[in-house]
Amino acid sequence: MTRPIRPILEVRGAHFAYGRSAPVLTDVSVAVTPGRSLALVGESGAGKTTLLRLLLGLARPTSGQVLYEGKELAPRDRALMREFRRGVQTVFQDPYSSLDPRQRVGRIVSEPLRSLGLREDMTARVAAALDAVGLPEDAASRYPQEFSGGQRQRIAIARAIVCEPRVLLADEPVSALDVSTRVRVVDLLQDLRETRALTVVMVSHDLAVVAALCQEVAVLERGRIVERGDTAQVLGAPRHPYTRRLIDSVPRLPPPKG
Amino acid sequence: MTLLTVAGLHVRGPEGRDLVSDVSFTLGAGERLGLIGESGSGKSMTALAITGLTPPGLTVSGSVVFDTPGLDRGLDRIEVVGAGERRLTSLRGRLTSTVFQEPLTALDPLMRVGRQVAEPLRRRRGLRGRALHAAVTAALEEVRLADPERIARAYPHEISGGQRQRVAIAMALACDPALLIADEPTTALDVTVQADVLTLLDGLVEERGMALLFISHDLAVVSRIAERVIVLKDGVAVESGSVGEVVNAPRHPYTRELVGSARRLDGALDSAIDGAIDGRTP
Amino acid sequence: MTAGRRVPRSATLVAGCVLAGLVLAVAVVSFFWLPFPPDDTSGDRLMPPGLPHLIGTDKLGRDLLTQLMIGARVALEAGAGSVLIGAVVGLAAGLAAGFATRWLDDTVSALLDILIAFPTVLLAMLVTAARDASLGSAVIAIGLAMSAIVARLTRVLVKRVLAQDFITASRTSGTSWPRIVVEHVLPNIWPTLSVNLALQFGLAVLAEASLSYLGLGAPPPNASWGRMLQEAQASVFIAPAGVIAPGVLIVVLVVGVNLIADGVRDVADPTRRRTR
């Protein structure tokens, strides 16, 4: 599929292996186009998280390329890396491990601003981010331990959007949450996607959440992309047997009567 | 026939706060009951009170009675609340067995899987030597583990999460309990593995005529395996009924929210799937 | 969740501060006032407690209280000096090992294990041989031995913090490694580390006393509780005060410091406090 719009973030022909062990990723290519949120779907051990680490610039592919705005990521190119860090932010699965317990929420949320040297109106920007995720103003002066799992995930999202990134990479952002909290956080992400022109790249095995948030899906199995396309196409008419099994496995409520 | 009668169960925390308040229900032999609630709703605490395993410092009151004629020296009724630890230990495994959420922490990391499964078989059925070995293999086969010999020789970290949960189920079944308690047994697993484990549990409970208490925060998962459900919120049972009733006509606002959330996620998936079938993009 | 209590109270902390504070007060006073000059041997030998020698005299006729007061100074100097060396060297090595991967980590760990297995007394003899028999040599030896223990603890704590998602979040925010250390790693390892350093202080006081007892510490006329014990040992049945007094003071200081360590652990860690 060729699109006229240049991808913001792209992995091209990436292989990845730890040392001499079996490859975690084999010839993986993924492109993130602006406004088209993408889900990376697969089981644990399929290589989703490793792929996410490549996209985050935390690991480098054994061979292949990772490109931001068409330029290959290079740790030495400070200007590019700074631009990349500002443009691509992340949210983690476990809201308990992703917030430093010894920092106040205000400091946690402002970290990207401080690190990227965006010190103007920092307090106002933090307040705006907290407001955008639906947290009260006084949250900034409290510690993460004082919040529930869902609220902590909101704090993590506030940190990720405070520097107004273009891409949000989320690793199972709602799977550690209770169902009703999960729906609220999905709503929030949906809302942010629209109001802030964010493109979400989400690792998940929850197809319902994927369907709610992402226009495109890439299915990974054992380090390879086995199927890719528009969400409706992949979920509605799966071609690969693994995708089909994944769809059939989603637990559903019994259909409503009447 | 009623197997378990829980009446006016209270579990009080050290600061006098009720973790479970006034929960009552009955469970027939071979029946499957789902306990639904979010973290902190008291669902796991209820299960612990039923097994008599509440952590020290908590006060349990009310009554938890098992009707199991012939199981304990002619005694037909066994009251768990207030029963002595020694007596409970002798009954545990035969009355109830529990499968937990995280199989990695439920298994001893330094002991081969086979020996862990053998332990309850040896204790309860008095098996030794070759008979014990055969029973271990049979137990692992029963939970549909391919290549049980290899699994028996492996350490827990050497097998996958789904395989570990199957081993944990095999261990729980080894004593042939009257009631199997499954506390979020599939939450830590991948969806496809979750589906397989649910099918497995479904079949095993059916075959053995065991009663099942299935604890989860996921209404969709519970509705897949249970006949009746109880919805817990802040330690209080706010609603109970058959799965069909609760899912189709929730009465309590909290249940409505739960059902609504689950339906919204289902709906998102359905419209994506239907969208492709109708040839439109959402 | 009870975030409200701003000033947590700890009985152990108070008790520890009282005991250790007593010794500290004595040491401070010793700089301004001593009952007798330290080298004044004018008193009768091995006098029992009384006037004018409140605790008595030693076998050379020196005032025991004067010696004890100077000894308090020496003990605290030894503890503080050792902890300073142990903390600086240990933290640096521990951070390096904590951040290192594979072979470098293995090498540092092996070195630390060797250093920990090395007897402090032997290390002290080597340092003394290289320099001289002095408080400084003893402190260097104790500090080096301590740094290995501190480094090993630091390494484990650092690895544990680095495995947390908030470190990854910090990296993806573009935070540099030195800043991650200052902002996230040090604050998160500090509660555990500070407790350990407080315990090490007590151990250092004991170690200095032992080394002085063996003649590897500060030479006369600097009084050290360890050497006082050694000198009074022969006359323990004639003049027990010479043994009891420094012994009691060592116990008071070490127990005091250990209680402070326990108290600090209860108070310093907000996460621990709330999840209790």
Side-chain angles (χ1 to χ4, degrees):
Chain A
M1 218 183 308
T2 47
R3 289 187 181 278
I5 314 165
R6 185 176 65 175
I8 317 176
L9 191 57
E10 193 179 359
V11 168
R12 254 188 229 162
H15 291 258
F16 189 88
Y18 291 98
R20 283 188 198 144
S21 44
V24 184
L25 294 176
T26 313
D27 191 23
V28 168
S29 298
V30 189
V32 183
T33 34
R36 306 271 305 162
S37 289
L38 169 72
L40 305 171
V41 173
E43 311 254 279
S44 43
K48 292 174 298 184
T49 302
T50 305
L51 178 53
L52 204 65
R53 287 178 66 82
L54 295 186
L55 287 168
L56 277 171
L58 292 175
R60 287 158 67 76
T62 316
S63 66
Q65 292 177 299
V66 182
L67 303 109
Y68 178 67
E69 300 273 20
K71 282 168 266 180
E72 185 170 3
L73 287 189
R76 300 260 161 71
D77 188 345
R78 295 212 161 207
L80 176 66
M81 287 313 279
R82 194 169 163 277
E83 208 182 308
F84 168 70
R85 290 283 171 232
R86 182 171 185 179
V88 180
Q89 284 287 316
T90 180
V91 175
F92 298 88
Q93 173 175 13
D94 178 6
Y96 288 86
S97 141
S98 67
L99 308 176
D100 188 339
R102 306 196 70 82
Q103 292 193 340
R104 289 178 200 275
V105 169
R107 194 164 176 79
I108 291 174
V109 173
S110 67
E111 177 162 20
L113 298 178
R114 284 181 285 125
S115 298
L116 295 164
L118 307 166
R119 289 177 178 270
E120 282 163 47
D121 312 323
M122 211 155 67
T123 326
R125 283 180 188 224
V126 169
L130 286 173
D131 183 57
V133 298
L135 284 172
E137 216 171 295
D138 69 330
S141 59
R142 286 150 72 190
Y143 283 96
Q145 294 86 305
E146 300 170 39
F147 295 88
S148 70
Q151 287 172 318
R152 293 175 68 121
Q153 202 60 311
R154 285 171 191 268
I155 297 171
I157 295 172
R159 169 178 57 195
I161 60 169
V162 75
C163 60
E164 286 159 13
R166 303 179 59 199
V167 182
L168 183 67
L169 295 177
D171 188 357
E172 300 272 13
V174 298
S175 68
L177 306 175
D178 289 318
V179 179
S180 46
T181 317
R182 190 179 297 184
V183 170
R184 273 179 238 125
V185 173
V186 168
D187 280 347
L188 169 65
L189 287 172
Q190 227 164 8
D191 186 47
L192 294 173
R193 204 185 56 181
E194 261 115 64
T195 55
R196 303 205 159 210
L198 258 184
T199 306
V200 176
V201 177
M202 186 174 65
V203 159
S204 182
H205 66 254
D206 188 336
L207 290 185
V209 174
V210 167
L213 275 175
C214 300
Q215 288 96 341
E216 289 177 26
V217 177
V219 182
L220 272 108
E221 195 195 18
R222 280 183 234 132
R224 288 171 190 278
I225 289 185
V226 295
E227 184 158 5
R228 168 179 24 193
D230 285 357
T231 304
Q233 198 184 358
V234 172
L235 298 185
R239 289 191 309 272
H240 196 273
Y242 174 70
T243 317
R244 225 168 288 144
R245 212 157 80 77
L246 212 53
I247 295 168
D248 292 340
S249 300
V250 177
R252 309 278 206 110
L253 286 186
K257 285 183 192 129
Chain B
M1 197 193 72
T2 311
L3 169 71
L4 169 69
T5 311
V6 176
L9 181 69
H10 280 265
V11 180
R12 195 153 294 155
E15 299 115 32
R17 202 165 60 90
D18 270 354
L19 305 174
V20 175
S21 46
D22 201 20
V23 167
S24 304
F25 61 90
T26 60
L27 186 58
E31 206 188 346
R32 297 131 171 245
L33 178 67
L35 219 49
I36 295 187
E38 313 210 318
S39 40
S41 63
K43 52 191 196 310
S44 295
M45 205 46 81
T46 304
L48 289 175
I50 290 171
T51 47
L53 281 172
T54 31
L58 304 184
T59 344
V60 183
S61 60
S63 108
V64 174
V65 173
F66 282 92
D67 280 288
T68 47
L71 190 120
D72 183 33
R73 284 165 291 165
L75 273 176
D76 287 349
R77 296 168 62 80
I78 297 156
E79 169 64 74
V80 174
V81 178
E85 181 59 31
R86 188 179 296 175
R87 179 137 182 276
L88 284 176
T89 308
S90 77
L91 291 170
R92 224 166 262 147
R94 282 181 295 159
L95 272 188
T96 62
S97 253
T98 310
V99 179
F100 295 97
Q101 173 174 349
E102 184 34 76
L104 194 55
T105 54
L107 298 177
D108 184 338
L110 297 178
M111 205 193 273
R112 288 181 201 276
V113 164
R115 269 189 66 198
Q116 305 198 44
V117 178
E119 169 66 19
L121 289 170
R122 195 173 52 75
R123 221 174 37 229
R124 292 287 171 228
R125 308 225 298 253
L127 297 173
R128 294 283 182 281
R130 196 166 294 171
L132 182 61
H133 184 82
V136 168
T137 311
L140 293 176
E141 264 166 4
E142 197 183 4
V143 291
R144 317 278 187 276
L145 277 166
D147 201 357
E149 298 282 343
R150 185 184 66 82
I151 301 275
R153 280 194 307 272
Y155 285 98
H157 70 269
E158 295 171 335
I159 58 180
S160 74
Q163 287 171 328
R164 278 196 289 266
Q165 198 56 294
R166 283 165 195 266
V167 170
I169 293 171
M171 284 171 69
L173 294 179
C175 306
D176 210 4
L179 169 64
L180 181 67
I181 298 175
D183 191 351
E184 303 259 10
T186 60
T187 307
L189 304 176
D190 283 322
V191 224
T192 53
V193 183
Q194 163 170 282
D196 293 345
V197 169
L198 285 176
T199 310
L200 172 73
L201 267 179
D202 206 25
L204 290 172
V205 172
E206 183 85 47
E207 275 166 37
R208 297 182 168 227
M210 254 182 320
L212 176 70
L213 185 64
F214 193 97
I215 300 169
S216 176
H217 68 273
D218 193 332
L219 191 58
V221 171
V222 172
S223 67
R224 158 93 174 65
I225 194 157
E227 296 153 349
R228 279 195 305 134
V229 289
I230 294 177
V231 183
L232 281 178
K233 181 173 170 47
D234 302 329
V236 181
V238 294
E239 185 154 357
S240 68
S242 75
V243 168
E245 279 165 21
V246 170
V247 166
N248 286 309
R251 293 185 306 271
H252 194 273
Y254 176 68
T255 321
R256 260 181 247 146
E257 191 191 338
L258 274 185
V259 175
S261 302
R263 285 256 183 261
R264 285 228 2 236
L265 289 178
D266 277 5
L269 187 55
D270 285 335
S271 61
I273 292 173
D274 295 346
I277 292 167
D278 299 351
R280 324 173 242 120
T281 34
Chain C
M1 260 169 262
T2 51
R5 253 200 298 161
R6 282 281 164 255
V7 189
R9 267 165 255 155
S10 163
T12 45
L13 186 60
V14 173
C17 286
V18 168
L19 291 181
L22 208 69
V23 175
L24 182 66
V26 167
V28 169
V29 168
S30 78
F31 283 104
F32 304 104
W33 176 82
L34 288 167
F36 290 87
D39 47 358
D40 180 355
T41 53
S42 63
D44 291 335
R45 294 175 183 185
L46 298 175
M47 268 172 59
L51 282 172
H53 300 285
L54 285 173
I55 304 181
T57 56
D58 67 3
K59 63 182 179 185
L60 297 174
R62 289 177 300 191
D63 180 54
L64 277 179
L65 182 59
T66 306
Q67 305 272 311
L68 285 173
M69 287 175 73
I70 296 174
R73 215 195 271 173
V74 171
L76 289 174
E77 278 167 10
S82 313
V83 166
L84 191 69
I85 294 177
V88 171
V89 178
L91 199 60
L95 278 171
F99 273 93
T101 49
R102 290 195 210 108
W103 65 267
L104 182 57
D105 184 21
D106 291 346
T107 314
V108 175
S109 298
L111 277 175
L112 290 179
D113 285 342
I114 292 169
L115 202 52
I116 286 169
F118 207 74
T120 308
V121 173
L122 200 55
L123 192 63
M125 286 169 75
L126 289 174
V127 176
T128 308
R131 299 178 74 228
D132 53 349
S134 68
L135 181 60
S137 299
V139 163
I140 289 174
I142 299 168
L144 282 180
M146 186 193 298
S147 67
I149 296 170
V150 172
R152 193 158 68 167
L153 176 68
T154 305
R155 172 180 167 273
V156 173
L157 293 173
V158 167
K159 291 233 185 271
R160 198 181 300 161
V161 174
L162 289 183
Q164 302 271 322
D165 285 342
F166 62 76
I167 298 293
T168 316
S170 193
R171 286 180 64 197
T172 57
S173 294
T175 313
S176 63
W177 279 117
R179 262 187 71 181
I180 289 178
V181 170
V182 173
E183 285 218 5
H184 297 291
V185 177
L186 291 181
N188 275 288
I189 67 173
W190 184 243
T192 316
L193 202 60
S194 60
V195 170
N196 189 264
L197 287 177
L199 290 173
Q200 295 292 342
F201 188 102
L203 291 176
V205 169
L206 281 178
E208 189 275 329
S210 313
L211 291 180
S212 295
Y213 182 91
L214 295 171
L216 290 168
N222 302 307
S224 153
W225 293 341
R227 215 184 53 250
M228 288 176 73
L229 278 176
Q230 194 264 328
E231 284 173 358
Q233 184 182 320
S235 50
V236 62
F237 296 111
I238 310 161
V243 173
I244 294 170
V248 165
L249 278 179
I250 291 173
V251 171
V252 165
L253 180 57
V254 173
V255 168
V257 168
N258 284 1
L259 288 177
I260 289 178
D262 273 359
V264 166
R265 171 163 42 203
D266 293 342
V267 173
D269 193 343
T271 51
R272 199 183 177 97
R273 208 161 59 222
R274 288 199 190 105
T275 51
R276 194 163 39 184

